[in-house]
Amino acid sequence: MITDGFLFLTVLLLIAAGLGLLEKYSGWRLFTILPGIVLLYFGVMLASSLGLWSQTDSIRATYSAVRNNLLPAMIFLMLLKSDLRAIAHLGPRMLGAFFTAVVTIMLGFVITFALFHRWLEPDSWKTFAALSGSWMGGTGNMAAIQSALDVPDSRMGYTLLMDSIDYAIWVMILLALVPFAGLFNRWTKADSSLLAKAGERLAVQQDDKAVTQLNLLVLLSLSFLVSAVSQQLASLLPTTAFLTTMTWTILLVTLAGVLAAMTRLGKLAGSVELSQIMLLVIIALIASRADFADLAKAPIYVTAGLMILCIHGVLMALVAKLFRLDLFTCGVASLANIGGVASAPILAAAYSKALIPVGVLMAMLGYVVGTAGGLLVGKMLSWLA
């Protein structure tokens, strides 16, 4: 049994690296069904359930130090590609569709939780709040909400199950609807003739040609500095039961990342790679305190996730009819929130390769609004609980 903090962290990294190698070289179909990050969570959870380590003082100290300091650094790096000036070029209709998707997802969470919470644990609103962070920007926002609201690590298994299973179903539905775009657009009376031209006008920010050692050193040191300074500033700000010091830290880091994205730092190659490594470490740390016995109510949570998506989909269709929005705009706006940069460009490409930049920029906007949106959802759900 592992009792040393450094060895504990080393084992988590080895599990993450091992799964990465399996995904790249094994060809197992499992990796096409479940994202690697979900398999990492359940792989580490299995190790925890088997008692591979115990919660000693050394392990608890390592867990807190690494997670609390790495999370703000990761958020800063993730936001470096979210240049608001480029996002503004999407135009009012596409931005309006994106924020409509945000609002309808929030309503889906509120309505669903109001119906389901009586069958769930008293603090289940935190699980839904963490998921809302992911469905309004990505897994990085989910980790931020989990830390800001102090969501129990044991509950994050439900969040990731909903995120992977329900999200996969939603992606399949949106891709299956592509051939029916013409029919949908005639129903809404949408004019989609300008979409291709809009996509060609948009230029996605280009990174430097290669990730260099200097780039990585600059980005790593700066992200750590932003993390440290944000935590110090947050400790000086007033707190409430909901607006904690960690919440302030995340909000400050988000602001720093958005501002830095509009400078030359946003063009440095390596921020995506570094932030993804940090995310893997954070997810592994969260899973290290979970146990399979904590997933007894998984079917209820997965069903609730599907209801959230159904409410969101119906409301988006009604808004599309009212404002004459086309299926591409609605679908990419939806997936930019629920799937993020990993899937919104894929859906955009299913319509036209010229529209890929639209999917990328919408997903980048999701990174910016996801944390704040998730916190707002959490506040509303806490009132219902």
Side-chain angles (χ1 to χ4, degrees):
M1 180 182 292
I2 297 171
T3 59
D4 177 71
F6 183 73
L7 182 56
F8 160 73
L9 182 61
T10 301
V11 170
L12 295 185
L13 290 171
L14 286 172
I15 294 173
L19 284 171
L21 290 171
L22 281 175
E23 183 174 7
K24 184 174 182 179
Y25 296 111
S26 68
W28 291 352
R29 289 194 62 189
L30 179 63
F31 291 101
T32 64
I33 300 172
L34 290 175
I37 201 165
V38 175
L39 293 176
L40 171 62
Y41 183 92
F42 288 109
V44 174
M45 182 192 285
L46 176 62
S48 176
S49 302
L50 294 174
L52 188 58
W53 50 76
S54 61
Q55 294 299 323
T56 62
D57 290 341
S58 176
I59 287 179
R60 281 193 291 267
T62 299
Y63 172 93
S64 298
V66 175
R67 199 192 77 162
N68 293 345
N69 292 295
L70 206 60
L71 178 64
M74 179 201 72
I75 295 170
F76 174 76
L77 290 174
M78 282 186 166
L79 289 169
L80 283 183
K81 299 304 175 190
S82 305
D83 190 337
L84 294 180
R85 295 169 301 184
I87 292 170
H89 293 159
L90 287 170
R93 286 181 68 82
M94 291 182 186
L95 290 175
F98 174 86
F99 284 105
T100 297
V102 171
V103 172
T104 55
I105 290 169
M106 293 173 70
L107 288 173
F109 273 93
V110 173
I111 295 170
T112 300
F113 185 76
L115 295 173
F116 277 77
H117 77 277
R118 70 193 67 181
W119 295 295
L120 302 172
E121 299 84 356
D123 62 349
S124 60
W125 66 270
K126 295 183 177 182
T127 302
F128 282 82
L131 178 65
S132 72
S134 178
W135 282 4
M136 288 187 285
T139 311
N141 287 327
M142 178 193 71
I145 299 298
Q146 193 255 350
S147 182
L149 299 182
D150 195 24
V151 183
D153 292 340
S154 59
R155 297 284 186 266
M156 291 303 291
Y158 290 131
T159 300
L160 282 163
L161 274 176
M162 296 162 75
D163 193 24
S164 60
I165 297 174
D166 297 335
Y167 153 73
I169 294 172
W170 192 242
V171 172
M172 287 188 290
I173 291 173
L174 292 179
L175 287 172
L177 288 175
V178 172
F180 302 98
L183 183 63
F184 182 90
N185 295 345
R186 286 193 294 273
W187 176 67
T188 62
K189 298 179 180 179
D191 180 11
S192 57
S193 61
L194 299 177
L195 276 176
K197 294 180 181 179
E200 291 168 357
R201 284 201 313 268
L202 291 170
V204 182
Q205 275 189 308
Q206 297 298 312
D207 290 338
D208 293 343
K209 290 183 178 180
V211 178
T212 67
Q213 178 180 329
L214 181 59
N215 282 6
L216 293 175
L217 183 59
V218 169
L219 290 168
L220 186 63
S221 60
L222 186 60
S223 66
F224 281 12
L225 176 63
V226 170
S227 175
V229 172
S230 297
Q231 290 181 72
Q232 290 298 317
L233 291 175
S235 66
L236 302 176
L237 296 172
T239 61
T240 66
F242 188 82
L243 195 59
T244 63
T245 299
M246 179 54 75
T247 306
W248 276 121
T249 299
I250 290 169
L251 293 176
L252 289 172
V253 168
T254 300
L255 177 61
V258 169
L259 294 176
M262 294 185 282
T263 69
R264 294 186 64 181
L265 285 171
K267 295 183 179 181
L268 281 181
S271 61
V272 174
E273 291 80 1
L274 275 177
S275 64
Q276 289 302 309
I277 291 173
M278 292 179 181
L279 178 60
L280 291 175
V281 174
I282 291 167
I283 292 298
L285 285 169
I286 293 170
S288 70
R289 291 187 169 187
D291 191 290
F292 277 105
D294 299 321
L295 298 179
K297 295 187 177 181
I300 298 178
Y301 280 93
V302 172
T303 303
L306 290 174
M307 177 171 284
I308 292 169
L309 294 176
C310 287
I311 293 171
H312 159 64
V314 170
L315 292 176
M316 282 295 291
L318 293 175
V319 171
K321 178 65 175 177
L322 182 62
F323 292 101
R324 300 185 177 183
L325 299 177
D326 59 274
L327 184 59
F328 166 82
T329 299
C330 294
V332 172
S334 173
L335 211 52
N337 281 281
I338 295 169
V341 75
S343 52
I346 295 174
L347 180 62
Y351 287 89
S352 170
K353 289 184 179 180
L355 296 172
I356 291 175
V358 178
V360 173
L361 290 176
M362 277 198 179
M364 290 297 101
L365 183 57
Y367 277 135
V368 177
V369 304
T371 300
L375 289 172
L376 180 57
V377 168
K379 187 65 173 177
M380 291 188 288
L381 299 186
S382 68
W383 292 335
L384 293 172

